[in-house]
Amino acid sequence: MPILVFVESANGIFKKSNFEAVSYGARIADQLRTDSFVINFEDLSDDVLKSLGDFGASKVYRVKNDSLKNFDAGFYAKVLFDIAQKLNATTVIFSFDYSGKAIAPVLAAKMNAGFVAGAIDLPMIDGVIMKIRKNVFSGKAIATYAIHSENKIVALTPNTVVPITTENRCSVENLEVAINPSDSKVKVKEVVKASGKVTLSDADVVVSAGRGLKGPENWGMVEEMASILGAATACSRPVADINWRPHEEHVGQTGLTVRPNLYIALGISGAIQHLAGVNGSKVIVVVNKDPEAPFFKAADYGIVGDVFEVVPKLNEAFKKFKSVI
Amino acid sequence: MKFLVCISKAPDTTTKIAFTDNNTKFNNDKVVFIVNPYDEWYALVRALELKEKLGGTVTVINVGATDCDAIIRKALAIGADDAVRIDAEPIDAMFVAKQIAQYVKANAYDLVLCGKETIDYNGSEVGGMIAGLLDWGYVSLASSLELNGDLATLNREIAGGYETVVVKTPFVLSAAKGMAEARIPNMRGIMAARTKPVAVVPVFACENYTTILSYELPKEKTGVKLVSPDNVDELVSLLHNEAKVI
Ligand SMILES: Cc1cc2nc3c(=O)[nH]c(=O)nc-3n(C[C@H](O)[C@H](O)[C@H](O)COP(=O)(O)OP(=O)(O)OC[C@H]3O[C@@H](n4cnc5c(N)ncnc54)[C@H](O)[C@@H]3O)c2cc1C
Ligand SMILES: Nc1ncnc2c1ncn2[C@@H]1O[C@H](COP(=O)(O)O)[C@@H](O)[C@H]1O
């Protein structure tokens, strides 16, 4: 029984999290000595879809239908349900991103599948049981789940499993499934995206600042650091609450969760609710004038100092570094 | 309009996480439980605002044992009209979703509101599952909700922005930040909550498909490496050569 991997690109371009999900599905399929099939609803070219084969997919299925241009989690789940039946698949892999979070639970209900939302490594497979680790308590602990139902759904947390390239052996095929457009209940009227800037949820580097910056007028140096490093900007919750920064930038327990390779925190105390949204970052750098700030306990590197002195100097140093490499 | 708001109990956000029974159970000794913030601040308050504007009722539903009574009273104090507690330890998200879906099938509601996720198991699962079980539309991570007759307009978070969607009731949503502002219960609300009805419903028998085998704490950081503010070049070099992140 093949493994299905659902992928959705960002405007026709596949991102690292897509490759991670494809590689994850392929490695599970290898363990089970079966195939992994990628499912995509976006009507992309053969070349673009074939690029997924570099990460081990056996085949990419393109599902073409005008009604799929409108994202509707329930409708997508229905179509995926029919595809799983048609291809005789019992396991479906998603990325634990915006579309995965929307579609996967609906599909789990339709398939009567055990679902692990937010896996952080490959499953251990023991007969029908899959044991999978995921973060719980906002990253303050890890739990090992067992899925013991026949049907299984796993959504993989981005930036946790390194994708492995393989020799491309994949073909692209159109998959015919009966789709009834009137099953779609949710209609998208408008899509609004911040253009040009690196998006926070999938940035490799995040530069974040807190109340230590004193006021919105001081964010120039934060944005400068982000632009030198090709980073996204983020902030602590009070900063968003008092409207120094847009709400989309708020990270933490009640905001966005980010897992970049590098998280730079400027003038943020490191309250537990803030850490909950960033403690999955690979490397954390903290600049804070208070040596007792709790953030230093969660940091890999730190500078005890005044952001108004340190950040301009750091920006110069980053600039110099970027100009020589 | 009949609103049903799903509320879960969650450990207070400053809880120290520890485990017992050979790391197979969460240690809830001395833990203070609160209403899961997304459920209270966003889903419940928006339902109350819409009820105040358009009329109707707001019911909160919880799948949990008697230890959930306190969070149910809190929701009633904030303004919910009545509550339902399905008397069972929640085993996993599908189990919870099946209990709630079963209840909704027997008691017509126009809108089911969940939180974005529980802050303990962080699954973002229950809402989508209820929608799947009922075959209703699902809008995940909604940051706003307006109603006009049976037509709802919502913004939902997507990568790098948001989208505006429309859907007819009945449907299910999960509520994210932006949907409403938290309300603090006042004395009158707290008094009124004592006499509001809480229906205790027996569990609907169903299987669960997942179990938690064990817990562990993440690897401790080895300790922060401090760099002098007069030597920022060293930090850049460490990030490049040692951490290999730039
Ligand atoms: C239920 C709940 C949920 C929450 N969710 C979140 C969440 O999702 N995200 C979040 O961020 N918070 C959240 N909070 C709030 C959290 O508890 C903290 O209050 C918040 O993170 C503090 O933000 P801050 O570090 O920017 O500000 P402060 O706590 O005011 O800290 C400012 C820091 O800047 C330093 N500083 C000041 N001046 C300078 C300077 N010139 N140079 C260098 N350093 C300087 C100070 O030493 C201090 O450490 C939540 C709280 C609750 C109760
Ligand atoms: N035991 C429960 N009882 C009622 N509602 C719940 C329960 N658990 C979760 N929910 C709802 O489902 C949402 C998502 O939970 P989760 O899927 O666990 O992240 C929560 O924000 C609640 O609205």
Side-chain angles (χ1 to χ4, degrees):
Chain A
M1 279 170 290
I3 307 292
L4 300 189
V5 183
F6 176 80
V7 296
E8 193 183 58
S9 72
N11 295 321
I13 298 161
F14 288 117
K15 294 173 298 185
K16 200 165 109 219
S17 58
N18 299 128
F19 301 137
E20 288 165 357
V22 171
S23 173
Y24 190 78
R27 286 162 74 186
I28 295 175
D30 278 350
Q31 280 191 56
L32 294 169
R33 297 200 179 73
T34 180
D35 287 319
S36 65
F37 297 149
V38 174
I39 311 291
N40 179 267
F41 287 175
E42 297 169 281
D43 198 3
L44 301 171
S45 74
D46 279 14
D47 283 346
V48 172
L49 291 176
K50 262 203 184 115
S51 68
L52 298 169
D54 296 341
F55 297 90
S58 338
K59 199 183 276 182
V60 179
Y61 281 113
R62 180 197 290 119
V63 184
K64 274 182 17 171
N65 192 292
D66 274 347
S67 60
L68 293 171
K69 293 202 170 104
N70 176 75
F71 181 91
D72 173 350
F75 182 58
Y76 274 35
K78 195 164 187 106
V79 175
L80 281 169
F81 177 80
D82 292 341
I83 291 172
Q85 289 219 307
K86 182 167 178 146
L87 299 176
N88 204 11
T90 52
T91 302
V92 186
I93 309 296
F94 290 85
S95 185
F96 197 46
D97 56 14
Y98 290 93
S99 60
K101 282 181 186 175
I103 308 162
V106 189
L107 182 62
K110 293 200 183 296
M111 283 177 65
N112 260 318
F115 175 29
V116 170
I120 57 167
D121 53 21
L122 280 164
M124 285 216 340
I125 299 171
D126 181 0
V128 73
I129 294 177
M130 255 189 208
K131 294 180 192 167
I132 307 180
R133 298 192 329 142
K134 74 165 248 162
N135 286 329
V136 290
F137 300 100
S138 308
K140 285 181 263 177
I142 298 160
T144 301
Y145 278 71
I147 308 183
H148 32 77
S149 50
E150 173 81 17
N151 290 342
K152 299 178 181 71
I153 296 185
V154 182
L156 174 65
T157 303
N159 219 3
T160 54
V161 176
V162 178
I164 296 181
T165 48
T166 58
E167 209 148 292
N168 192 317
R169 55 190 162 100
C170 123
S171 59
V172 175
E173 250 178 59
N174 288 336
L175 183 67
E176 300 299 334
V177 274
I179 293 178
N180 183 357
S182 65
D183 288 336
S184 173
K185 299 184 170 82
V186 181
K187 302 284 175 227
V188 178
K189 286 286 162 206
E190 196 191 0
V191 178
V192 181
K193 286 193 187 182
S195 59
K197 286 186 42 181
V198 184
T199 52
L200 186 52
S201 48
D202 42 44
D204 282 332
V205 180
V206 173
V207 179
S208 187
R211 218 147 51 173
L213 268 279
K214 304 281 188 282
E217 66 282 4
N218 297 324
W219 247 264
M221 62 185 188
V222 178
E223 288 187 333
E224 187 185 358
M225 186 181 293
S227 103
I228 300 167
L229 295 174
T233 47
C235 68
S236 67
R237 180 169 131 207
V239 160
D241 283 351
I242 47 186
N243 287 320
W244 291 0
R245 297 297 293 172
H247 275 283
E248 307 82 78
E249 285 196 358
H250 154 200
V251 293
Q253 183 119 60
T254 43
L256 211 60
T257 302
V258 295
R259 312 177 59 87
N261 287 328
L262 174 59
Y263 184 81
I264 303 181
L266 308 170
I268 304 177
S269 58
I272 196 153
Q273 299 93 352
H274 184 85
L275 295 181
V278 307
N279 57 10
S281 310
K282 215 162 270 166
V283 172
I284 294 178
V285 174
V286 169
V287 181
N288 194 305
K289 69 175 183 191
D290 174 10
E292 302 294 319
F295 222 143
F296 284 117
K297 289 208 180 65
D300 300 280
Y301 300 99
I303 295 182
V304 179
D306 187 328
V307 284
F308 296 101
E309 277 167 37
V310 174
V311 173
K313 280 202 260 179
L314 252 181
N315 283 350
E316 286 315 307
F318 280 137
K319 247 190 249 165
K320 202 168 69 194
F321 166 76
K322 286 285 175 185
S323 66
V324 292
I325 56 157
Chain B
M1 201 54 79
K2 280 182 75 186
F3 300 94
L4 184 67
V5 181
C6 305
I7 59 166
S8 164
K9 90 173 188 322
D12 175 82
T13 53
T14 55
T15 302
K16 191 161 166 41
I17 304 300
F19 304 102
T20 60
D21 294 23
N22 207 7
N23 287 328
T24 56
K25 284 202 177 68
F26 173 60
N27 183 358
N28 50 26
D29 188 34
K30 299 202 189 78
V31 173
V32 176
F33 285 96
I34 57 171
V35 186
N36 186 47
Y38 295 101
D39 312 352
E40 178 190 324
W41 301 352
Y42 308 134
L44 174 60
V45 176
R46 189 61 191 144
L48 292 172
E49 287 171 356
L50 288 168
K51 173 202 128 165
E52 284 153 14
K53 204 167 106 188
L54 308 168
T57 55
V58 175
T59 302
V60 290
I61 188 166
N62 167 260
V63 179
T66 46
D67 58 348
C68 288
D69 285 339
I71 66 133
I72 291 173
R73 288 292 166 203
K74 170 91 187 274
L76 293 170
I78 292 170
D81 298 294
D82 61 344
V84 176
R85 181 168 65 78
I86 298 179
D87 194 15
E89 262 327 314
I91 310 174
D92 67 0
M94 189 76 89
F95 175 86
V96 170
K98 285 191 174 166
Q99 304 300 324
I100 296 173
Q102 191 63 22
Y103 185 80
V104 172
K105 277 182 195 158
N107 301 270
Y109 285 93
D110 300 297
L111 186 53
V112 175
L113 300 96
C114 286
K116 165 183 156 177
E117 63 179 30
T118 43
I119 60 170
D120 43 9
Y121 294 99
N122 307 109
S124 228
E125 299 165 74
V126 170
M129 287 174 173
I130 296 172
L133 292 166
L134 295 172
D135 204 18
W136 288 8
Y138 178 49
V139 180
S140 62
L141 308 188
S143 56
S144 75
L145 164 68
E146 298 297 337
L147 283 171
N148 189 348
D150 65 350
L151 196 69
T153 304
L154 304 96
N155 287 342
R156 61 176 283 268
E157 295 173 359
I158 56 170
Y162 67 90
E163 65 187 20
T164 305
V165 301
V166 293
V167 55
K168 280 209 167 110
T169 57
F171 68 97
V172 183
L173 66 79
S174 76
K177 191 182 137 120
M179 177 160 282
E181 297 282 339
R183 280 186 186 180
I184 297 162
N186 56 24
M187 209 50 214
R188 234 181 67 219
I190 295 167
M191 297 303 286
R194 295 195 184 153
T195 52
K196 285 180 178 171
V198 179
V200 178
V201 176
V203 60
F204 160 68
C206 67
E207 294 176 74
N208 64 302
Y209 302 143
T210 66
T211 28
I212 294 182
L213 302 175
S214 63
Y215 296 92
E216 64 202 275
L217 295 173
K219 273 197 260 75
E220 294 243 358
K221 289 265 180 187
T222 46
V224 57
K225 219 178 235 184
L226 288 179
V227 174
S228 152
D230 301 319
N231 196 5
V232 294
D233 286 325
E234 188 191 338
L235 178 63
V236 175
S237 135
L238 285 168
L239 292 177
H240 182 60
N241 298 315
E242 186 177 87
K244 298 189 173 27
V245 288
I246 57 169

